[in-house]
Amino acid sequence: MAALRTLVFPGPSIKLPPVDALPLGARIAVAREQDSFAVSSSGGFVPLRHLAPVANVEPEFVAVAERFIGVPYLWGGKSSLGLDCSGLVQFALTACGIKCPRDSDMQESALGKPASLAGLQSGDLIFWKGHIAIARGRNSIIHANAFHMAVAIESVAEALARIGAAGNQVTSVRRLK
């Protein structure tokens, strides 16, 4: 799937009531194409423009994460219906063909090489105990968090101050490249 979400229709018309919904990353077996739809092996009709070949990988994981802005925070969530911080990172990296463990503590020990807050670059991963955020550059991050109850962009300074005031300090910064 290339769209954040798509609907599955019982026939080749968007005016029919949908029978299912699929999240970004869902895989479907396409039996054939009809008009502007892919017909799945189970008979559902999915808009062709929402699909991408399985072999396709996204070029930039920060951009993938940004597509989820506003998606509700859901502890343990891993779809466009709800995400937690490590689910957002796992989803974004996986979409780019980068293997990524599920939980933030495993991500911290498995991903990248040490970096620093002072030299923060787009794509750096910032870790706190039980939390992870993705740097969008020196001054902002994107993360799924319970403060905003959504995937949100926040300034690095505000996030550090807010999370620090709650007694949680940065444990590491990791750079993938």
Side-chain angles (χ1 to χ4, degrees):
M1 285 264 308
L4 193 57
R5 290 186 279 263
T6 194
L7 299 172
V8 180
F9 299 94
S13 172
I14 61 171
K15 294 181 179 179
L16 295 170
V19 294
D20 202 357
L22 300 172
L24 178 67
R27 295 180 178 210
I28 66 167
V30 176
R32 62 187 170 84
E33 293 180 13
Q34 182 177 336
D35 302 323
S36 60
F37 291 90
V39 183
S40 71
S41 57
S42 61
F45 288 73
V46 178
L48 275 170
R49 66 180 51 228
H50 287 180
L51 301 179
V54 172
N56 278 19
V57 292
E58 295 283 341
E60 176 56 47
F61 81 93
V62 176
V64 173
E66 289 172 341
R67 291 166 63 186
F68 288 90
I69 292 170
V71 167
Y73 176 81
L74 175 65
W75 189 82
K78 284 182 44 167
S79 80
S80 60
L81 298 176
L83 288 164
D84 67 9
C85 62
S86 57
L88 174 65
V89 171
Q90 184 186 44
F91 206 100
L93 289 174
T94 301
C96 295
I98 301 167
K99 292 184 185 222
C100 178
R102 173 62 179 103
D103 294 325
S104 61
D105 60 335
M106 295 185 285
Q107 292 169 346
E108 186 171 18
S109 64
L111 297 173
K113 298 191 180 329
S116 70
L117 280 173
L120 204 58
Q121 296 178 9
S122 180
D124 285 351
L125 304 174
I126 306 169
F127 293 89
W128 294 265
K129 184 178 181 193
H131 191 64
I132 181 173
I134 302 168
R136 296 176 65 242
R138 290 189 57 120
N139 299 317
S140 68
I141 60 173
I142 182 169
H143 58 147
N145 64 88
F147 178 78
H148 294 99
M149 284 307 295
V151 175
I153 293 174
E154 186 171 15
S155 85
V156 171
E158 288 174 12
L160 292 174
R162 181 176 51 75
I163 295 169
N168 205 345
Q169 301 301 315
V170 170
T171 56
S172 72
V173 176
R174 310 286 295 173
R175 182 163 297 147
L176 297 178
K177 297 178 184 182

